[in-house]
Amino acid sequence: MPTLYDAPSPAPNPRRVRIYLAEKGLGIPTEQLSIVKGEHKSADYLAKYEPGQVPSLELDDGTIIGESVAICRYFEALHPEPPLFGTDALSIATIDMWIRRVEFTLMHTVGQVWMHAHPFTARVVKPQYKDFGESNRAHAMRAMRRFDKALGGSAYVAGPAFTMADIVLLTTLDFAAFIGLPMPEDVPALADWHSRVSVRPSAGV
Ligand SMILES: N[C@@H](CCC(=O)N[C@@H](CS)C(=O)NCC(=O)O)C(=O)O
């Protein structure tokens, strides 16, 4: 069995994999790393996985897969049901399009606020460019409003079914709220979607 290197919330990227596995009903042996204690930068872990980030997945032969979405794709190829990355050309492309939009327009901008404008990261991110970090707040809000607009016309991010795109958006929005970037008031469809996906049992992991 592979081993998942995991870290607890509020870390958003390992949570993506936990939600994905819960949606699939898959139980994978897990090793917890404490980011606060710096366990993801231990010599042992860096020797396995040079980026020193979580999540990562170690296969039985020692191969490591990094990147939360790639880890989920690995499991998707082995366990296609229920599908969370689409089933035909259009749904596969649409889900990928939305995952990339969440990554590039929201996760990236939220990450810049976290890295450059948050006191918690000040001890590790040197130098911090506070003005630059703060400037990303507006970009993150703009991205949330775009997702709101899209969700006005469909039940889930990439269409009528819950998919990996919902998992990526949910974990990103929850992390954004944690660091002081809650959804603005004027996103009713996004807020409604957030309430619906947050009560799925998988969201509690
Ligand atoms: N793109 C990667 C990002 C991984 C990542 O940034 N993980 C964070 C935790 S949410 C981490 O390990 N942070 C510590 C660090 O980068 O040193 C993914 O999707 O897995």
Side-chain angles (χ1 to χ4, degrees):
M1 280 287 257
T3 300
L4 177 69
Y5 291 93
D6 189 15
S9 290
N13 296 293
R15 184 172 175 231
R16 294 175 175 183
V17 180
R18 290 198 303 277
I19 294 178
Y20 174 89
L21 292 173
E23 289 283 341
K24 288 280 184 177
L26 292 172
I28 301 295
T30 295
E31 196 161 311
Q32 291 295 325
L33 298 180
S34 163
I35 294 180
V36 175
K37 289 186 190 157
E39 289 173 354
H40 58 310
K41 303 296 183 199
S42 73
D44 277 359
Y45 188 63
L46 288 175
K48 279 181 198 287
Y49 186 51
E50 184 275 330
Q53 292 190 319
V54 276
S56 73
L57 183 73
E58 183 173 17
L59 306 185
D60 290 343
D61 67 357
T63 303
I64 297 267
I65 302 174
E67 300 293 332
S68 51
V69 175
I71 292 168
C72 296
R73 281 192 189 281
Y74 173 80
F75 286 117
E76 187 79 1
L78 296 174
H79 306 277
E81 296 294 331
L84 290 175
F85 282 93
T87 52
D88 56 21
L90 181 59
S91 61
I92 290 169
T94 305
I95 293 161
D96 197 46
M97 174 179 83
W98 284 107
I99 290 173
R100 291 173 71 85
R101 285 179 177 168
V102 178
E103 296 273 32
F104 293 134
T105 69
L106 189 60
M107 187 68 211
H108 176 73
T109 49
V110 169
Q112 297 307 318
V113 176
W114 172 237
M115 300 252 308
H116 286 287
H118 202 281
F120 187 82
T121 53
R123 70 195 165 91
V124 281
V125 179
K126 289 180 180 156
Q128 267 190 328
Y129 297 102
K130 290 241 183 228
D131 289 351
F132 166 73
E134 289 296 341
S135 73
N136 277 277
R137 281 179 187 275
H139 296 306
M141 292 299 132
R142 201 170 304 131
M144 289 183 200
R145 292 190 175 100
R146 279 202 213 103
F147 292 116
D148 176 64
K149 205 167 165 197
L151 280 160
S154 83
Y156 294 100
V157 174
F162 181 88
T163 70
M164 190 67 199
D166 296 284
I167 296 175
V168 176
L169 183 57
L170 173 65
T171 52
T172 305
L173 278 178
D174 287 349
F175 181 69
F178 173 78
I179 68 162
L181 286 169
M183 283 180 273
E185 305 262 303
D186 57 345
V187 291
L190 184 63
D192 173 68
W193 165 89
H194 185 264
S195 311
R196 282 185 289 113
V197 293
S198 295
V199 295
R200 293 174 80 89
S202 63
V205 297

